[in-house]
Amino acid sequence: MLFTHALFVGFVIFGLLLILAGKLFSWSWVRNPWFRLVHITGLAVVVIQSWLGVICPLTTLEMALRSKAGDAVYEGSFISHWLTELLYYQAPEWVFIVCYTTFGLIVLACWFWVRPRSFIRRENHVPPN
């Protein structure tokens, strides 16, 4: 479960970096509408959960599995827990809300700056005479 959670976090963070690099290097795949929709939706869920004070379902499932296995569980969100564990960084919950929201606004701005292609494929169709 921790691996799945880390993959999601990596997708959100590195997805944005790849979108920006794609703009710089003219990579067409970063304009894939499905990639972009999944990316912005994933981050929107994180931002909305932080505003509502809802703990991520992946965190809840991870804690339930840890508890069932007899392992120690933690309180709060996945990000705040692992930032504390890895960086010994403690901050009030509002700091994480501001960080998530700021990152979300950057991703939203990139939606307009590095526009995804349309979901509708337009074929180069020549009408018959």
Side-chain angles (χ1 to χ4, degrees):
M1 184 53 31
L2 177 60
F3 182 70
T4 302
H5 215 159
L7 282 176
F8 176 77
V9 172
F11 172 72
V12 169
I13 293 170
F14 291 112
L16 176 61
L17 296 175
L18 289 170
I19 290 165
L20 295 173
K23 171 72 171 174
L24 181 66
F25 296 113
S26 299
W27 297 337
S28 64
W29 69 267
V30 299
R31 295 180 185 273
N32 179 299
W34 292 106
F35 164 67
R36 298 295 295 280
L37 184 64
V38 170
H39 185 253
I40 201 166
T41 301
L43 188 54
V45 169
V46 170
V47 171
I48 291 168
Q49 285 176 342
S50 72
W51 290 345
L52 298 176
V54 175
I55 294 179
C56 173
L58 292 175
T59 301
T60 304
L61 180 57
E62 180 185 341
M63 290 188 298
L65 291 172
R66 285 176 181 268
S67 178
K68 190 171 186 170
D71 200 358
V73 298
Y74 54 85
E75 292 186 21
S77 74
F78 171 81
I79 297 296
S80 63
H81 170 75
W82 287 106
L83 282 176
T84 300
E85 288 294 314
L86 297 174
L87 304 176
Y88 304 103
Y89 183 77
Q90 292 185 342
E93 196 65 31
W94 68 266
V95 171
F96 296 102
I97 293 170
V98 169
C99 290
Y100 298 153
T101 302
T102 302
F103 194 82
L105 290 172
I106 293 169
V107 169
L108 182 61
C110 283
W111 182 273
F112 295 100
W113 188 51
V114 185
R115 298 287 300 179
R117 290 186 305 272
S118 173
F119 283 96
I120 301 169
R121 281 194 93 92
R122 293 186 177 100
E123 301 293 330
N124 290 338
H125 180 66
V126 178
N129 289 335

